[in-house]
């Protein structure tokens, strides 16, 4: 490229995001490194067998991107880019990329792309560059050590189990069992009788139930084993094992493939292998001894979310991980509170609502919780215990960054700390005598999930609510009407409808106008269909299976939820990186042409599906 052309290219780049975030001297240097390529209509730029090795910037023309099955993924024009996905993943992009008109393309070498990601936070944020590049290291692929945390999320248990199970029968002597554990250098033995798993013996059992108890080494393992051990499936993911261990304080989990015993997995297998994982924090949380330690551990949440977003984790995956951390913190606070105030005088269940209940939390979240108490509750005898416990936990959550709910929907509020019979009366009123304003505030209680405490107590309330809600057409109509109050921010002519005035003037509210409308739609279908799931994606899938939603409608809503959620998370990640408080308000100018186009498509899907929802339920039709 001749020097005379440089100013023109630099000016072109400066008018398109994210290049507009780069300093003029950087743009000039970048312009010198670019190569221009002219292509005619019909030119195939990439195929699944010949992936790109540059990032391309479209200076003029029209480019189509299709997947391996030649399904159209995107139509790109001036200022758009392509090829960066291959550079980010170090894997062949199985794509067909074709020029549909005469086009001028600017080619950016992989090394230059990596340097821009490494040196400029705004550029790195836009493309979600791989962790190795961000750290200034080599261009290691997705399988590198830097992505260990994400591998934990997607690695099946079967890939971690490395040896055949070591088993004994229940008639084996303790002495012989201890000898086997010593020779095999293992910390546990599986007890199998007649081909079925009947128990587990660990080194801890030998210490506490044999040595400390003065038991004879000639006794059988049946006398000291733990019976009916909790198991996990080989097809489950490693992070599920870690969560199970952390919640229940297990250190060993037998692994089954159906009914066949295939091995054992220990907390050491997971924590040593993946100590850099975001989910390693969950194990640390469950070992915290007080609120100070929990508050300190919780400060790592934002950085962990940033790591996930920069590693291109899906919005759904990030929500589940962040929510699991919130769940772990809440559970640990409740355990510490019970240690402080003593065991509960009657059974209770700590319930959470909102994004935590739905596994959809981000780094920005307040508290939404309540307390469900057994009907044996006596306000005089038991009231102070549950008041003190709930205030202690809510105060601890606030210290850990989960701020007090502005609407006071918390267990520390007397109204939301009630016995089962009163909760049934609450739901009777909301369902049998629906009133729009009351329902708007009560919606959070139709997303409840038990985090701690008595399971049967919660299941009784859940089954009562679902059975009652499923058969009330008037309630469905009111809920549908409430769902339509949150409209996607797009006008009749596909223009964005922005927030007006105030601190967030001229921005898109991607929570209340983006994510929440889809959450509302899924909730209505769940209540009308008697669906137990509370996660929005799972509700949409269940509604499709029950025939309440078409396959295309459910798929479109899931895709819209994922894309809007991803844009929202990337925005919050950028704020965390800059040291500012994350929010949900994104200026359209911060988005690329392609992102704006896809957001409009996503909002259009939501508006269409809201229309279908209104037609179905506001008329009382339940077919």
């Amino acid at each position: 490229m001749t020097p005379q052309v440089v100013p023109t290219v630099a000016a072109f780049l400066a008018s398109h995001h994210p290049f507009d975030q780069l300093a003029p001297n950087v743009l000039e240097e970048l312009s010198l490194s670019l190569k221009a390529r002219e292509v005619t209509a019909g030119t195939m730029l990439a195929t699944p067998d010949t992936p790109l090795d540059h990032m391309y910037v479209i200076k003029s023309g029209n480019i189509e991107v299709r997947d391996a099955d030649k399904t159209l993924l995107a139509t790109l024009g001036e200022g758009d880019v392509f090829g960066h996905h291959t550079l980010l993943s170090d894997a062949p992009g199985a794509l067909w990329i074709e020029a549909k008109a005469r086009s001028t393309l600017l080619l950016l070498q992989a090394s230059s792309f990596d340097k821009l990601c490494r040196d400029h936070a705004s550029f790195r944020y836009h493309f979600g560059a791989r962790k190795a590049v961000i750290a200034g290291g080599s261009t290691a692929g997705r399988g590198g050590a830097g992505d260990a945390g994400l591998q934990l999320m997607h690695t099946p248990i079967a890939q971690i189990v490395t040896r055949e199970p070591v088993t004994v029968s229940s008639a084996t002597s303790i002495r012989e069992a201890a000898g086997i554990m010593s020779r095999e250098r293992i910390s546990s033995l599986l007890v199998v009788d007649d081909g079925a798993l009947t128990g587990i013996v660990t080194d801890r059992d030998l210490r506490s139930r044999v040595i400390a108890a003065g038991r004879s080494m000639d006794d059988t393992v049946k006398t000291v084993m733990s019976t009916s051990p909790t198991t996990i499936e080989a097809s489950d993911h490693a992070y599920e094992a870690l969560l199970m261990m952390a919640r229940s304080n297990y250190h060993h989990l037998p692994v089954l493939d159906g009914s066949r015993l295939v091995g054992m997995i220990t907390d050491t297998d997971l924590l040593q292998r993946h100590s850099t994982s975001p989910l390693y924090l969950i194990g640390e949380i469950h070992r915290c001894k007080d609120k100070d330690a929990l508050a300190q551990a919780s400060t790592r949440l934002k950085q962990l979310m940033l790591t996930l977003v920069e590693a291109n984790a899906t919005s759904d995956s990030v929500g589940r991980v962040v929510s699991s951390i919130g769940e772990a913190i809440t559970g640990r606070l409740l355990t510490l509170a019970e240690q402080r105030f003593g065991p509960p005088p009657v059974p209770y269940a700590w319930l959470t609502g909102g994004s935590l209940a739905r596994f959809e939390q981000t780094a920005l979240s307040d508290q939404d919780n309540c307390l469900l108490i057994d009907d044996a509750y006596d306000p005089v005898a038991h009231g102070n215990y549950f008041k003190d416990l709930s205030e202690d936990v809510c105060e601890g959550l606030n210290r850990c960054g989960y701020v007090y709910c502005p609407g006071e929907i918390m267990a520390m509020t007397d109204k939301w700390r009630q016995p089962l019979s009163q909760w049934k009366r609450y739901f009777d009123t909301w369902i049998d005598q629906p009133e729009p304003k009351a329902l708007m505030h009560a919606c959070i209680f139709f997303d409840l999930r038990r985090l701690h405490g008595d399971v049967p107590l919660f299941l009784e309330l859940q089954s009562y609510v679902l059975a009652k809600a499923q058969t009330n057409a008037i309630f469905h109509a009111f809920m549908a009407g409430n769902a339509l109050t949150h409209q996607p921010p797009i006008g009749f002519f596909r223009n964005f409808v922005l927030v007006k005035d105030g601190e967030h003037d001229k921005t898109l509210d991607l929570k209340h106008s983006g994510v929440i409308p889809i959450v509302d739609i899924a909730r209505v279908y769940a209540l009308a269909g008697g669906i137990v799931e509370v996660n929005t994606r799972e509700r949409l899938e269940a509604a499709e299976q029950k025939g309440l939603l078409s396959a295309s409608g459910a798929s479109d809503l899931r895709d819209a939820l994922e894309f809007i959620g991803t844009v929202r998370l990337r925005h919050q990640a950028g704020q965390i990186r800059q040291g500012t408080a994350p929010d949900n308000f994104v200026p359209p100018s911060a988005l690329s042409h392609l992102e704006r186009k896809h957001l409009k498509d996503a909002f259009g899907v939501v508006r269409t599906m809201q229309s279908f929802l209104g037609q179905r339920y506001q008329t009382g039709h339940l077919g």
Side-chain angles (χ1 to χ4, degrees):
M1 183 175 294
T2 61
Q4 290 79 5
V5 183
V6 171
T8 304
V9 173
F12 170 79
L13 293 174
S15 65
H16 295 284
H17 195 72
F19 301 100
D20 60 348
Q21 302 296 306
L22 302 177
N25 63 312
V26 177
L27 287 175
E28 285 196 23
E29 182 180 350
L30 174 61
S31 298
L32 289 168
S33 69
L34 295 175
K35 294 182 179 179
R37 179 181 175 187
E38 300 282 344
V39 296
T40 58
T43 301
M44 192 62 67
L45 298 164
T47 70
D49 296 326
T50 57
L52 300 171
D53 55 4
H54 288 73
M55 186 180 84
Y56 288 69
V57 184
I58 303 174
K59 193 167 186 297
S60 64
N62 182 268
I63 305 294
E64 277 190 357
V65 181
R66 297 177 180 271
D67 65 16
D69 297 324
K70 296 196 174 182
T71 300
L72 181 65
L73 299 177
T75 299
L76 309 179
E78 179 183 314
D80 290 329
V81 301
F82 60 94
H84 55 286
H85 294 99
T86 302
L87 302 184
L88 290 170
S89 65
D90 288 331
L95 300 173
W96 299 88
I97 302 178
E98 181 181 4
K100 303 305 289 183
R102 184 176 183 83
S103 304
T104 301
L105 308 174
L106 304 175
L107 282 65
L108 178 65
Q109 292 182 343
S111 58
S112 299
F113 176 80
D114 288 348
K115 187 176 187 302
L116 287 169
C117 287
R118 187 164 56 244
D119 296 345
H120 303 282
S122 59
F123 198 86
R124 179 170 68 240
Y125 161 63
H126 181 80
F127 290 105
R130 60 205 149 181
K131 187 174 180 181
V133 173
I134 293 167
S138 65
T139 55
R142 283 191 174 272
D147 291 325
L150 291 179
Q151 290 177 10
L152 187 67
M153 291 185 61
H154 301 293
T155 301
I157 297 290
Q159 292 185 19
I160 296 179
V161 176
T162 57
R163 63 180 297 172
E164 292 294 317
V166 181
T167 65
V168 295
S169 74
S170 60
T172 304
S173 71
I174 296 172
R175 187 187 311 279
E176 184 180 354
I180 293 172
M181 291 170 67
S182 178
R183 289 196 305 273
E184 297 290 337
R185 296 184 178 181
I186 54 178
S187 59
S188 61
L189 275 175
L190 296 170
V191 183
V192 175
D193 293 309
D194 299 324
L197 178 67
T198 56
I200 183 174
V201 179
T202 69
D203 53 2
R204 181 173 296 184
D205 294 329
L206 296 182
R207 292 194 301 270
S208 61
R209 298 180 182 179
V210 180
I211 298 173
R215 185 181 295 276
S216 170
M217 294 290 286
D218 294 323
D219 287 350
T220 64
V221 296
K222 185 175 182 179
T223 62
V224 296
M225 71 182 188
S226 298
T227 58
S228 304
T230 299
T231 62
I232 193 165
E233 284 291 321
S235 58
D236 288 340
H237 292 107
Y239 84 93
E240 296 176 79
L242 182 57
L243 290 177
M244 191 181 297
M245 290 176 180
R247 289 172 185 151
S248 305
N249 197 30
Y250 296 144
H251 300 278
H252 306 79
L253 285 176
V255 181
L256 301 179
D257 182 4
S259 60
R260 184 173 67 89
L261 181 65
V262 296
M264 174 82 80
I265 189 169
T266 70
D267 54 358
T268 303
D269 293 332
L270 296 173
L271 297 179
Q272 287 185 350
R273 178 177 177 134
H274 294 287
S275 61
T276 59
S277 164
L279 293 175
Y280 180 77
L281 177 57
I282 294 173
E284 182 179 324
I285 287 168
H286 283 273
R287 293 189 293 273
C288 287
K289 302 298 184 183
D290 53 39
K291 290 182 185 177
D292 289 340
L294 280 170
Q296 180 61 38
S298 68
T299 61
R300 293 166 51 192
L301 174 59
K302 289 181 180 179
Q303 183 58 46
L304 291 179
M305 193 192 89
L306 179 60
T307 298
L308 290 168
V309 173
E310 288 181 332
N312 292 323
T314 65
S315 171
D316 180 64
S317 295
V318 174
R320 290 180 186 275
V321 170
V322 173
S323 298
S324 295
I325 293 171
E327 179 178 340
I329 290 173
T330 306
R332 188 57 183 159
L333 284 168
L334 282 159
T335 299
L336 292 173
E338 289 182 6
Q339 292 173 0
R340 178 180 178 185
F341 299 113
V346 294
Y348 79 96
W350 184 279
L351 311 183
T352 187
S355 59
L356 177 55
R358 298 191 304 270
F359 290 103
E360 295 164 7
Q361 269 195 337
T362 69
L364 176 66
S365 184
D366 57 8
Q367 295 182 44
D368 295 307
N369 51 60
C370 58
L371 206 64
L372 170 64
I373 312 173
D374 189 274
D375 278 334
Y377 172 73
D378 180 340
V380 175
H382 309 142
N384 285 340
Y385 175 90
F386 288 111
K387 183 175 187 296
D388 291 344
L389 178 138
S390 59
E391 288 180 347
D392 188 71
V393 173
C394 289
E395 188 272 335
L397 286 170
N398 186 63
R399 287 180 60 183
C400 291
Y402 302 92
V403 299
Y404 291 124
C405 173
E408 298 186 344
I409 300 177
M410 296 175 290
M412 63 185 288
T413 305
D414 293 346
K415 183 177 182 180
W416 309 125
R417 189 177 64 253
Q418 296 292 335
L420 174 64
S421 56
Q422 179 58 49
W423 277 107
K424 288 182 177 179
R425 285 192 287 271
Y426 285 158
F427 281 102
D428 286 345
T429 300
W430 293 328
I431 296 172
D432 294 335
Q433 304 169 39
E435 193 274 322
K437 187 174 180 180
L439 274 185
M440 187 176 298
H441 296 291
C443 272
I444 189 172
F445 295 110
F446 291 99
D447 291 352
L448 291 179
R449 183 165 63 87
R450 184 198 70 89
L451 284 196
H452 182 90
D454 194 75
V455 175
L457 188 62
F458 169 67
L459 292 179
E460 181 176 347
L461 178 63
Q462 183 187 53
S463 60
Y464 179 85
V465 172
L466 287 177
K468 193 173 189 66
Q470 188 175 5
T471 57
N472 192 317
I474 295 176
F475 171 67
H476 300 161
F478 272 91
M479 287 295 290
N482 181 68
L484 300 183
T485 61
H486 292 117
Q487 290 290 319
I490 187 170
F492 185 78
F493 296 104
R494 283 179 58 85
N495 56 302
F496 286 133
V497 178
L498 305 179
V499 175
K500 291 184 178 179
D501 303 322
E503 176 185 2
H504 304 296
D505 186 39
K506 297 180 181 178
T507 64
L508 293 166
D509 183 347
L510 290 188
K511 178 181 178 181
H512 294 98
S513 299
V515 171
I516 292 300
I518 305 175
V519 171
D520 289 342
I521 291 172
R523 182 187 297 115
V524 175
Y525 284 117
L527 293 172
I531 294 167
V532 299
E533 285 81 6
V534 292
N535 173 262
T536 301
R537 187 179 186 87
E538 292 173 357
R539 279 176 163 174
L540 293 172
E541 291 170 352
E544 177 188 347
Q545 292 169 3
K546 284 179 172 283
L548 300 173
L549 262 175
S550 67
S552 60
S555 177
D556 286 347
L557 280 172
R558 290 195 297 269
D559 289 346
L561 179 67
E562 177 61 34
F563 185 76
I564 296 169
T566 297
V567 174
R568 178 189 178 202
L569 282 172
R570 289 172 66 114
H571 168 70
Q572 292 183 354
Q575 292 175 310
I576 291 171
R577 191 181 300 107
Q578 295 165 8
T580 59
D583 61 34
N584 300 295
F585 299 92
V586 180
S589 59
L591 304 172
S592 70
H593 170 77
L594 193 60
E595 286 172 321
R596 292 195 295 270
K597 179 180 182 300
H598 285 336
L599 268 182
K600 290 178 180 180
D601 290 341
F603 294 150
V605 165
V606 177
R607 189 166 61 183
T608 298
M609 297 309 295
Q610 282 183 327
S611 176
F612 290 157
L613 182 80
Q615 293 171 17
R616 182 182 183 94
Y617 291 113
Q618 288 195 297
T619 60
H621 174 60
L622 300 177

